[in-house]
Amino acid sequence: MSSGSHVYGYSAVLMGSPILLKLFDNNQALASQVFRLIKQYEDLLTVNRAQSEVMNINHAAGRAPVTVSAPVFELIRCALAASLVKDSCFNLTIGPLVKRWRIGFKGDSVPPAGEIATLLPRTRPEQVILDDEAGTVFLTQPDMEIDLGAIAKGFIADRVRDYLKLQGVEQALINLGGNVQTLGSPPGGWTVGLKKPFGEADALVGAITVENKSVVTSGVYERYFEQDGRRYHHILDPRTGYPLDNELDSVTIISTDSLDGDIWTTLIYGMGVEKGCALLRHQPGIEAIFVTKQREVIFSSASQFSFTLRDFDYRLVTGSTA
Ligand code: FAD
Ligand code: MG
């Protein structure tokens, strides 16, 4: 995932994910600053530890509104708006189900159907109350839990881009484990690999080339477990409480902001190819690449990126439904 001849790569593990920063300068101090920034946001947003601003909200569910910092409030506002879109599969209050399934964590298992039925009523985004003036978030029912796993990395990738810009950096790439944000236009653009679902770690379906754009992929092949011959992945259907089941192996969104990319991958994943393409016709600036279980690669449109197929077991179906 590089471009040009003098690219320096810096890596870390944060948010349970491999993080990769690419710069055109050998600047370890700047890389350390970037990792520190990511860590600061992780500390505010994580639900994988007892304490964070988001966990303060969760601990006070059913009891009291909680004051949070401006960036956390803004991110929750965006996540709530995406959750309240008609027929949305994005749900910021999916936390109780995520915690019960534990997909991608130790102790994952298929919950008994009765337990899922009990947890579903605790995942209603309508029961989140935001107070703009006070800057508070209130989960009105006990045992509700916000989970920003489907949106936080996009938000953080944008903050890294903004920080690098402020530091005078003209060309950089940050990969937060599936969320890529790029700055600038190196010769030939930035090339981002589109992973082959369930392939070897470095196997690619193709390569996406962009400049100054974000490339976010959500796939069923990153975090999953198998039980009784069935695969269970980490994108849950808020209507059923089970992993979303449709024709898709992955959805990639190309957009200016990674926040949009992260929201739309989950929204569009839930809709599938046909509905997703229909909706994106009214969203200039948000473009999708679908990879189906039938090994098709389908674009909603392709004005902000170019794509090169690398694995010829896959078939390019350019703009067929757009
Ligand atoms: P996306 O496809 O964008 O979203 C999937 C994730 O969103 C799921 O993992 C779940 O968290 C949530 N989700 C599931 N269904 C829905 C739905 N219908 N609507 C909305 N959200 C949904 N991983 C670790 O292993 N250890 C850690 O300590 C850890 N800490 C993290 C801290 C932070 C601040 C963040 C943002 C992530 C952390 N993660 C950690 C990773 C996290 O658990 C998710 O796996 C990751 O955010 C998924 O990103 P994605 O882009 O692959 O998934
Ligand atoms: Mg997402």
PDB file of all heavy atoms in Angstrom, residues 161 165 170 181-186 190 210-214 255-257:
ATOM      1  N   ARG A 161      -5.608  12.918   9.785  1.00  0.00           N
ATOM      2  CA  ARG A 161      -5.393  13.708   8.558  1.00  0.00           C
ATOM      3  C   ARG A 161      -5.320  15.197   8.879  1.00  0.00           C
ATOM      4  O   ARG A 161      -4.404  15.893   8.434  1.00  0.00           O
ATOM      5  CB  ARG A 161      -6.541  13.444   7.565  1.00  0.00           C
ATOM      6  CG  ARG A 161      -6.507  14.354   6.350  1.00  0.00           C
ATOM      7  CD  ARG A 161      -7.870  14.488   5.704  1.00  0.00           C
ATOM      8  NE  ARG A 161      -8.882  14.945   6.660  1.00  0.00           N
ATOM      9  CZ  ARG A 161     -10.190  14.893   6.438  1.00  0.00           C
ATOM     10  NH1 ARG A 161     -10.658  14.395   5.323  1.00  0.00           N
ATOM     11  NH2 ARG A 161     -11.046  15.342   7.349  1.00  0.00           N
ATOM     12  N   LYS A 165      -2.066  17.686   8.406  1.00  0.00           N
ATOM     13  CA  LYS A 165      -2.182  18.912   7.586  1.00  0.00           C
ATOM     14  C   LYS A 165      -1.681  20.106   8.373  1.00  0.00           C
ATOM     15  O   LYS A 165      -0.909  20.923   7.873  1.00  0.00           O
ATOM     16  CB  LYS A 165      -3.655  19.137   7.222  1.00  0.00           C
ATOM     17  CG  LYS A 165      -3.968  18.965   5.761  1.00  0.00           C
ATOM     18  CD  LYS A 165      -5.379  19.474   5.531  1.00  0.00           C
ATOM     19  CE  LYS A 165      -6.029  18.752   4.388  1.00  0.00           C
ATOM     20  NZ  LYS A 165      -7.446  19.059   4.260  1.00  0.00           N
ATOM     21  N   GLU A 170       2.268  17.278   3.542  1.00  0.00           N
ATOM     22  CA  GLU A 170       1.492  17.369   2.302  1.00  0.00           C
ATOM     23  C   GLU A 170       1.021  16.017   1.796  1.00  0.00           C
ATOM     24  O   GLU A 170       0.024  15.925   1.073  1.00  0.00           O
ATOM     25  CB  GLU A 170       2.327  18.078   1.233  1.00  0.00           C
ATOM     26  CG  GLU A 170       2.484  19.558   1.574  1.00  0.00           C
ATOM     27  CD  GLU A 170       3.343  20.310   0.601  1.00  0.00           C
ATOM     28  OE1 GLU A 170       3.946  19.677  -0.289  1.00  0.00           O
ATOM     29  OE2 GLU A 170       3.424  21.542   0.754  1.00  0.00           O
ATOM     30  N   GLN A 181      -7.132   6.623   5.380  1.00  0.00           N
ATOM     31  CA  GLN A 181      -7.325   8.032   4.995  1.00  0.00           C
ATOM     32  C   GLN A 181      -6.025   8.501   4.358  1.00  0.00           C
ATOM     33  O   GLN A 181      -4.944   8.131   4.815  1.00  0.00           O
ATOM     34  CB  GLN A 181      -7.699   8.869   6.221  1.00  0.00           C
ATOM     35  CG  GLN A 181      -7.917  10.349   5.981  1.00  0.00           C
ATOM     36  CD  GLN A 181      -8.988  10.690   4.930  1.00  0.00           C
ATOM     37  OE1 GLN A 181      -8.750  10.542   3.726  1.00  0.00           O
ATOM     38  NE2 GLN A 181     -10.130  11.164   5.366  1.00  0.00           N
ATOM     39  N   THR A 182      -6.151   9.274   3.281  1.00  0.00           N
ATOM     40  CA  THR A 182      -4.938   9.727   2.588  1.00  0.00           C
ATOM     41  C   THR A 182      -4.905  11.242   2.494  1.00  0.00           C
ATOM     42  O   THR A 182      -5.936  11.911   2.467  1.00  0.00           O
ATOM     43  CB  THR A 182      -4.854   9.147   1.157  1.00  0.00           C
ATOM     44  OG1 THR A 182      -5.905   9.716   0.362  1.00  0.00           O
ATOM     45  CG2 THR A 182      -4.966   7.634   1.150  1.00  0.00           C
ATOM     46  N   LEU A 183      -3.708  11.739   2.463  1.00  0.00           N
ATOM     47  CA  LEU A 183      -3.487  13.184   2.347  1.00  0.00           C
ATOM     48  C   LEU A 183      -2.591  13.401   1.133  1.00  0.00           C
ATOM     49  O   LEU A 183      -1.542  12.758   1.013  1.00  0.00           O
ATOM     50  CB  LEU A 183      -2.804  13.650   3.629  1.00  0.00           C
ATOM     51  CG  LEU A 183      -2.463  15.125   3.799  1.00  0.00           C
ATOM     52  CD1 LEU A 183      -3.703  15.989   3.698  1.00  0.00           C
ATOM     53  CD2 LEU A 183      -1.803  15.337   5.173  1.00  0.00           C
ATOM     54  N   GLY A 184      -3.036  14.269   0.225  1.00  0.00           N
ATOM     55  CA  GLY A 184      -2.183  14.660  -0.890  1.00  0.00           C
ATOM     56  C   GLY A 184      -2.219  13.714  -2.067  1.00  0.00           C
ATOM     57  O   GLY A 184      -2.946  12.726  -2.088  1.00  0.00           O
ATOM     58  N   SER A 185      -1.422  14.066  -3.043  1.00  0.00           N
ATOM     59  CA  SER A 185      -1.426  13.366  -4.332  1.00  0.00           C
ATOM     60  C   SER A 185      -0.006  13.003  -4.736  1.00  0.00           C
ATOM     61  O   SER A 185       0.600  13.703  -5.555  1.00  0.00           O
ATOM     62  CB  SER A 185      -2.029  14.267  -5.413  1.00  0.00           C
ATOM     63  OG  SER A 185      -3.185  14.877  -4.930  1.00  0.00           O
ATOM     64  N   PRO A 186       0.541  11.946  -4.184  1.00  0.00           N
ATOM     65  CA  PRO A 186       1.880  11.536  -4.619  1.00  0.00           C
ATOM     66  C   PRO A 186       1.827  11.079  -6.081  1.00  0.00           C
ATOM     67  O   PRO A 186       0.739  10.776  -6.579  1.00  0.00           O
ATOM     68  CB  PRO A 186       2.217  10.366  -3.699  1.00  0.00           C
ATOM     69  CG  PRO A 186       0.905   9.857  -3.226  1.00  0.00           C
ATOM     70  CD  PRO A 186      -0.040  10.999  -3.231  1.00  0.00           C
ATOM     71  N   TRP A 190      -2.293   7.249  -4.302  1.00  0.00           N
ATOM     72  CA  TRP A 190      -2.118   6.243  -3.236  1.00  0.00           C
ATOM     73  C   TRP A 190      -2.825   4.972  -3.663  1.00  0.00           C
ATOM     74  O   TRP A 190      -3.982   5.025  -4.079  1.00  0.00           O
ATOM     75  CB  TRP A 190      -2.735   6.724  -1.928  1.00  0.00           C
ATOM     76  CG  TRP A 190      -2.021   7.855  -1.271  1.00  0.00           C
ATOM     77  CD1 TRP A 190      -2.423   9.155  -1.234  1.00  0.00           C
ATOM     78  CD2 TRP A 190      -0.790   7.794  -0.550  1.00  0.00           C
ATOM     79  NE1 TRP A 190      -1.524   9.901  -0.525  1.00  0.00           N
ATOM     80  CE2 TRP A 190      -0.507   9.086  -0.098  1.00  0.00           C
ATOM     81  CE3 TRP A 190       0.102   6.765  -0.230  1.00  0.00           C
ATOM     82  CZ2 TRP A 190       0.622   9.394   0.646  1.00  0.00           C
ATOM     83  CZ3 TRP A 190       1.228   7.060   0.508  1.00  0.00           C
ATOM     84  CH2 TRP A 190       1.479   8.363   0.943  1.00  0.00           C
ATOM     85  N   VAL A 210      -6.324   6.269  -5.231  1.00  0.00           N
ATOM     86  CA  VAL A 210      -7.029   7.505  -4.865  1.00  0.00           C
ATOM     87  C   VAL A 210      -6.024   8.613  -4.574  1.00  0.00           C
ATOM     88  O   VAL A 210      -4.844   8.348  -4.358  1.00  0.00           O
ATOM     89  CB  VAL A 210      -7.893   7.317  -3.583  1.00  0.00           C
ATOM     90  CG1 VAL A 210      -9.054   6.393  -3.815  1.00  0.00           C
ATOM     91  CG2 VAL A 210      -7.046   6.855  -2.399  1.00  0.00           C
ATOM     92  N   GLU A 211      -6.544   9.841  -4.542  1.00  0.00           N
ATOM     93  CA  GLU A 211      -5.764  10.988  -4.062  1.00  0.00           C
ATOM     94  C   GLU A 211      -6.657  11.756  -3.105  1.00  0.00           C
ATOM     95  O   GLU A 211      -7.820  12.027  -3.440  1.00  0.00           O
ATOM     96  CB  GLU A 211      -5.393  11.900  -5.236  1.00  0.00           C
ATOM     97  CG  GLU A 211      -4.402  11.249  -6.183  1.00  0.00           C
ATOM     98  CD  GLU A 211      -4.113  12.106  -7.409  1.00  0.00           C
ATOM     99  OE1 GLU A 211      -4.608  13.256  -7.476  1.00  0.00           O
ATOM    100  OE2 GLU A 211      -3.411  11.610  -8.296  1.00  0.00           O
ATOM    101  N   ASN A 212      -6.143  12.100  -1.934  1.00  0.00           N
ATOM    102  CA  ASN A 212      -6.912  12.905  -0.988  1.00  0.00           C
ATOM    103  C   ASN A 212      -8.272  12.311  -0.647  1.00  0.00           C
ATOM    104  O   ASN A 212      -9.231  13.052  -0.414  1.00  0.00           O
ATOM    105  CB  ASN A 212      -7.165  14.306  -1.581  1.00  0.00           C
ATOM    106  CG  ASN A 212      -6.086  15.277  -1.159  1.00  0.00           C
ATOM    107  OD1 ASN A 212      -5.661  15.273  -0.006  1.00  0.00           O
ATOM    108  ND2 ASN A 212      -5.648  16.097  -2.091  1.00  0.00           N
ATOM    109  N   LYS A 213      -8.371  11.013  -0.627  1.00  0.00           N
ATOM    110  CA  LYS A 213      -9.657  10.358  -0.319  1.00  0.00           C
ATOM    111  C   LYS A 213      -9.456   9.307   0.752  1.00  0.00           C
ATOM    112  O   LYS A 213      -8.344   8.818   0.975  1.00  0.00           O
ATOM    113  CB  LYS A 213     -10.231   9.663  -1.566  1.00  0.00           C
ATOM    114  CG  LYS A 213     -10.625  10.577  -2.684  1.00  0.00           C
ATOM    115  CD  LYS A 213     -11.883  11.360  -2.371  1.00  0.00           C
ATOM    116  CE  LYS A 213     -12.074  12.469  -3.386  1.00  0.00           C
ATOM    117  NZ  LYS A 213     -12.864  13.580  -2.871  1.00  0.00           N
ATOM    118  N   SER A 214     -10.583   8.938   1.351  1.00  0.00           N
ATOM    119  CA  SER A 214     -10.585   7.859   2.324  1.00  0.00           C
ATOM    120  C   SER A 214     -11.092   6.582   1.652  1.00  0.00           C
ATOM    121  O   SER A 214     -11.946   6.641   0.766  1.00  0.00           O
ATOM    122  CB  SER A 214     -11.514   8.266   3.475  1.00  0.00           C
ATOM    123  OG  SER A 214     -11.992   7.132   4.126  1.00  0.00           O
ATOM    124  N   SER A 255     -14.614   8.074  -0.131  1.00  0.00           N
ATOM    125  CA  SER A 255     -15.257   9.358   0.201  1.00  0.00           C
ATOM    126  C   SER A 255     -14.169  10.330   0.650  1.00  0.00           C
ATOM    127  O   SER A 255     -13.022   9.925   0.839  1.00  0.00           O
ATOM    128  CB  SER A 255     -16.268   9.151   1.335  1.00  0.00           C
ATOM    129  OG  SER A 255     -15.633   8.540   2.445  1.00  0.00           O
ATOM    130  N   THR A 256     -14.531  11.577   0.842  1.00  0.00           N
ATOM    131  CA  THR A 256     -13.540  12.544   1.328  1.00  0.00           C
ATOM    132  C   THR A 256     -13.229  12.279   2.795  1.00  0.00           C
ATOM    133  O   THR A 256     -12.076  12.156   3.184  1.00  0.00           O
ATOM    134  CB  THR A 256     -14.052  13.984   1.119  1.00  0.00           C
ATOM    135  OG1 THR A 256     -14.200  14.175  -0.287  1.00  0.00           O
ATOM    136  CG2 THR A 256     -13.074  15.011   1.673  1.00  0.00           C
ATOM    137  N   ASP A 257     -14.287  12.176   3.603  1.00  0.00           N
ATOM    138  CA  ASP A 257     -14.081  11.925   5.029  1.00  0.00           C
ATOM    139  C   ASP A 257     -14.237  10.443   5.348  1.00  0.00           C
ATOM    140  O   ASP A 257     -15.170   9.788   4.878  1.00  0.00           O
ATOM    141  CB  ASP A 257     -15.083  12.735   5.862  1.00  0.00           C
ATOM    142  CG  ASP A 257     -14.732  14.221   5.864  1.00  0.00           C
ATOM    143  OD1 ASP A 257     -13.535  14.541   5.715  1.00  0.00           O
ATOM    144  OD2 ASP A 257     -15.654  15.037   6.004  1.00  0.00           O
TER     145      ASP A 257
END
